[in-house]
């Protein structure tokens, strides 16, 4: 059952728990929870978000997971967090200082958890959070300790610049890099 409008509005103050563990292959990082994610307590929960299909198409998961199955990601060596914890209807409701503070907190989290890759899903969010104005989608020069950084397109269904196939191909490039030593 989908949350009502009242439930969605009340969800603004709820946190969506991270799906994390030490030494993951990839720690995916969303921009911030949408209201549907905050209402359900699960990442990328809005119908039409292409995160889960892209993960599957890229080979990260054996089938398309539902947001409520997000804990299964850990068994595949991946997890999820967000740059900013505050839920909003749209990412453009966030202030630049929230992104910068989120970037600082994310660096601390990554330093403690030591994933091989941090994959930030949203180039604009990455640019602001890490003061990397020229960043483009793909692997970055920046590292956080030994963790490499990859910027992915925002998987929102509203991102018309990246059709589903192109989005899945970029996720697959990341997967190839993250699991390269397993396939040699």
């Amino acid at each position: 059952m989908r949350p009502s409008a009242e439930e969605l509005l009340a969800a603004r103050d709820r946190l969506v728990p991270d799906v994390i563990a030490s030494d993951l292959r990839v720690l995916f990082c969303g921009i911030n929870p949408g209201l549907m994610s905050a209402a359900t307590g699960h990442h990328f929960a809005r119908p039409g978000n292409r995160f889960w299909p892209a993960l599957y198409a890229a080979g990260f998961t054996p089938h398309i997971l539902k947001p409520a199955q997000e804990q299964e990601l850990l068994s595949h060596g991946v997890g999820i967090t967000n740059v900013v914890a505050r839920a909003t209807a749209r990412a453009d409701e966030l202030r630049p200082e929230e992104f910068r503070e989120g970037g600082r907190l994310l660096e601390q989290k990554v330093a403690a958890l030591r994933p091989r890759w941090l994959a930030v899903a949203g180039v604009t969010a990455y640019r602001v959070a890490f003061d990397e104005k020229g960043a483009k989608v793909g692997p970055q020069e920046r590292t956080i300790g030994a963790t490499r950084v990859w910027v992915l397109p925002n998987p929102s269904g509203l991102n018309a610049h990246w059709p589903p196939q192109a989005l899945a191909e970029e996720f697959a490039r990341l997967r190839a890099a993250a699991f390269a030593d397993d396939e040699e």
Side-chain angles (χ1 to χ4, degrees):
M1 188 167 103
R2 296 181 83 174
S4 68
E6 294 80 22
E7 290 170 321
L8 288 174
L9 291 173
R12 288 182 188 266
D13 296 326
R14 291 193 203 135
L15 296 179
V16 177
D18 288 341
V19 178
I20 56 176
S22 295
D23 303 312
L24 294 168
R25 294 297 181 114
V26 179
L27 177 59
F28 287 96
C29 183
I31 297 170
N32 74 306
L35 297 182
M36 182 70 74
S37 288
T40 64
H42 301 294
H43 294 270
F44 300 103
R46 185 175 177 84
N49 190 295
R50 302 170 303 168
F51 177 79
W52 301 106
L55 274 187
Y56 166 69
F60 279 104
T61 59
H63 59 275
I64 298 175
L65 297 177
K66 294 183 170 100
Q69 297 172 306
E70 63 192 6
Q71 290 296 324
E72 290 182 31
L73 290 174
L74 297 175
S75 68
H76 302 293
V78 299
I80 311 176
T81 188
N82 286 294
V83 176
V84 177
R86 182 170 71 93
T88 60
R90 296 183 331 270
D92 64 4
E93 296 175 38
L94 298 170
R95 299 179 309 278
E97 56 271 15
E98 288 180 280
F99 282 109
R100 288 190 291 273
E101 176 63 15
R104 284 189 290 277
L105 294 172
L106 184 57
E107 283 185 325
Q108 293 171 5
K109 189 178 296 185
V110 167
L113 295 172
R114 303 174 319 277
R116 289 188 188 181
W117 288 90
L118 170 66
V120 180
V123 68
T124 302
Y126 176 80
R127 287 174 180 158
V128 177
F130 293 99
D131 196 29
E132 297 275 348
K133 293 172 184 50
K136 295 185 178 0
V137 167
Q140 306 300 302
E141 289 185 25
R142 170 188 289 271
T143 60
I144 302 170
T147 299
R148 305 266 329 264
V149 178
W150 195 292
V151 175
L152 291 168
N154 182 343
S156 167
L158 300 175
N159 185 357
H161 299 293
W162 286 84
Q165 182 63 35
L167 184 68
E169 288 169 3
E170 190 61 29
F171 274 61
R173 287 181 59 219
L174 167 62
R175 187 189 181 287
F179 290 86
D181 60 334
D182 287 356
E183 296 167 2
E184 292 177 353

